[in-house]
Amino acid sequence: MAHFVNPFTDIGFKIIFGQPASKELLITLLNELLAGEHHIEDLTFIDKEDNSDNVNDRGIIFDLYCLTSSGEYIIVEMQNRWHSNFLDRTLYYVCRAISRLIERPITDEVELPAGGKDSVSDTVSEAPLRYGDRYKLSTVYGIFLMNFKEGKLEPKFRTDTVVADRENGRTVNPHFRQIYLQFPYFTKQLEECETLYDKLIYALKNMNEWNRMPDALKEQVFKHLERLAAVANLSEANRVAYDKAVDRYYVNRIYEEDMQDRVENAMREGREKGMQEGREEGKKEGKLEDAQNFKRLGVPADIIAKATGLSAEEIAKL
C-alpha cells in the first residue's frame, strides 16, 4: 500500500478534491488551469446529482460540481478507463449542466459563498421578465482528468475546446468551455516542472508511488496535499472504501494489460502469418514465371514440372 491515495480512484479523487477541507487545494488547481482566463476567489460544492424529471437524465452524478463566488459553474470529472463515446458523454454532461440553468425556476436562489451572486436568479425583479432573460447563462466549465489516451483528441496532454468561428478561430460564445487532460501524455520529470501548474500535474500523476513528498515540492499547497492524501490520515470508513477502490483499480489494470498483450500477440501472429503467406505466394509466382519462360523456350512440360514443382495442369494453363 502506497503512502498516498491514488487520485485516479473514485474515492481517492474525492478525498483530495471533493471534501470541504480540500476546497483550497481545488481552487489552486482550477486557478492554475484557468490562468490568464479566470481567477476563482471562492467556490461552494453544490448538488452533484442531476434530479431531472426526464427519466433518461436521472442518475447523472458529476464527480465534482462547483459554483464560484462570481457565478461560474465547474464540473470536474476523473475518468480512469477509456470507454466508447467518451467525448460525447463529456459534451452531454456540460450541456446538461447548462440546461439546468434554464430549467431552474426563476425564483430559485442558489446558496452562494459570501458576496456571491447568481447570474440566473439575478434576472428576478419587479419589472416584467423579458423573453430573452430566461436564456441568460453563466459560464460552465467541464474539466476532465483522463488516465488514458483518447484517440479522437490530439496526442497531447491538454486540449481546450470552445464554441468558435471555424474560419478565424474567434470565440463565439464564452459560456461553454471544456478542458481535457490526458495524463499519459504528461511526461515531464520533476526537475523539468518549473511552474506550479506543472508541479501539481506531476504530483497527481506520480504521488501514488511515493512514500514521502519530494523535497522539490516546497509550496504550501503540497503540504496541504500531503495531509489530505496520506492513507494513514483516512477515517475508518474512507479507508475501507479506498481499499476496495484500489483493488478494483488494479484488477482493471491487470485486465487491460492482459487484453493489450492479447491484442499485440494477435497482431504479431497475424503479421508473421501474413509474411509467411506472402513468402509462399512469392515463391509460387516465381515458379510460374520460370515455367512460362521454359515454355517459351520449348522445354517439354514434364521437364518443367520437375524443375518447378508445378503440376501438369498448372503448366498447361500458362
Side-chain angles (χ1 to χ4, degrees):
M1 177 66 71
H3 182 78
F4 299 110
V5 299
N6 185 337
F8 292 103
T9 60
D10 288 341
I11 185 68
F13 181 78
K14 291 178 175 65
I15 287 169
I16 294 173
F17 292 115
Q19 55 180 324
S22 59
K23 185 170 74 169
E24 180 183 341
L25 181 61
L26 178 60
I27 290 175
T28 300
L29 175 64
L30 294 176
N31 279 335
E32 290 300 312
L33 284 171
L34 303 177
E37 176 180 349
H38 182 66
H39 183 79
I40 300 169
E41 296 290 343
D42 196 8
L43 59 76
T44 184
F45 297 105
I46 57 179
D47 185 10
K48 298 181 292 183
E49 185 166 3
D50 190 339
N51 297 309
S52 172
D53 291 333
N54 185 339
V55 67
N56 293 322
D57 293 327
R58 293 176 190 167
I60 295 177
I61 303 177
F62 305 125
D63 285 346
L64 293 178
Y65 192 37
C66 314
L67 178 60
T68 72
S69 55
S70 51
E72 295 80 22
Y73 291 82
I74 301 179
I75 300 166
V76 186
E77 284 279 311
M78 185 282 297
Q79 182 70 27
N80 184 49
R81 300 176 63 192
W82 177 90
H83 67 72
S84 59
N85 302 312
F86 172 74
L87 296 184
D88 287 346
R89 180 170 71 84
T90 62
L91 175 63
Y92 178 70
Y93 271 28
V94 175
C95 290
R96 277 300 301 152
I98 291 174
S99 69
R100 288 171 69 171
L101 304 181
I102 303 299
E103 293 168 359
R104 184 188 309 122
I106 293 297
T107 57
D108 182 21
E109 293 287 345
V110 177
E111 184 179 351
L112 294 168
K117 186 169 83 170
D118 179 13
S119 62
V120 175
S121 59
D122 179 42
T123 62
V124 177
S125 67
E126 295 181 0
L129 185 66
R130 294 176 300 178
Y131 174 76
D133 286 342
R134 68 175 283 109
Y135 297 104
K136 182 180 180 182
L137 297 176
S138 299
T139 299
V140 175
Y141 291 91
I143 298 174
F144 304 96
L145 286 67
M146 305 153 58
N147 197 24
F148 61 91
K149 297 176 181 179
E150 169 56 62
K152 294 180 181 178
L153 295 176
E154 290 294 315
K156 59 181 181 178
F157 170 60
R158 176 171 176 164
T159 299
D160 287 63
T161 69
V162 297
V163 178
D165 185 318
R166 290 183 63 179
E167 184 175 348
N168 56 32
R170 185 180 67 84
T171 298
V172 174
N173 191 316
H175 299 304
F176 185 98
R177 289 281 282 105
Q178 289 177 294
I179 299 174
Y180 297 97
L181 305 177
Q182 299 180 87
F183 274 77
Y185 288 116
F186 186 87
T187 58
K188 288 186 178 182
Q189 299 302 309
L190 182 53
E191 58 271 17
E192 299 175 287
C193 297
E194 299 179 355
T195 65
L196 180 58
Y197 170 72
D198 282 346
K199 292 177 182 178
L200 281 168
I201 299 302
Y202 178 84
L204 291 176
K205 182 174 181 178
N206 297 284
M207 61 186 292
N208 183 56
E209 301 175 0
W210 299 341
N211 288 320
R212 56 186 293 273
M213 195 66 65
D215 293 335
L217 301 179
K218 300 176 181 179
E219 290 85 350
Q220 182 64 34
V221 65
F222 294 107
K223 295 180 181 178
H224 190 36
L225 175 61
E226 186 173 25
R227 290 192 299 271
L228 280 173
V231 173
N233 292 341
L234 300 182
S235 67
E236 183 176 353
N238 278 345
R239 180 59 185 268
V240 171
Y242 178 67
D243 287 347
K244 291 180 179 178
V246 168
D247 287 342
R248 290 194 301 271
Y249 175 85
Y250 284 113
V251 167
N252 289 337
R253 281 295 175 194
I254 291 171
Y255 173 78
E256 289 169 358
E257 290 172 1
D258 182 56
M259 287 300 295
Q260 183 64 29
D261 288 342
R262 291 184 185 183
V263 170
E264 291 176 355
N265 288 337
M267 292 176 64
R268 182 170 57 253
E269 291 173 1
R271 286 194 297 268
E272 292 174 354
K273 183 178 180 181
M275 292 172 64
Q276 179 64 28
E277 290 176 349
R279 285 193 290 267
E280 294 297 329
E281 185 67 24
K283 290 179 181 178
K284 184 70 175 291
E285 290 179 358
K287 291 179 180 179
L288 291 172
E289 186 176 346
D290 289 341
Q292 283 179 322
N293 291 332
F294 286 145
K295 206 169 183 181
R296 292 191 188 100
L297 294 172
V299 177
D302 59 334
I303 295 177
I304 296 175
K306 290 180 181 179
T308 61
L310 296 175
S311 67
E313 289 79 7
E314 289 175 310
I315 295 172
K317 291 178 181 178
L318 295 176

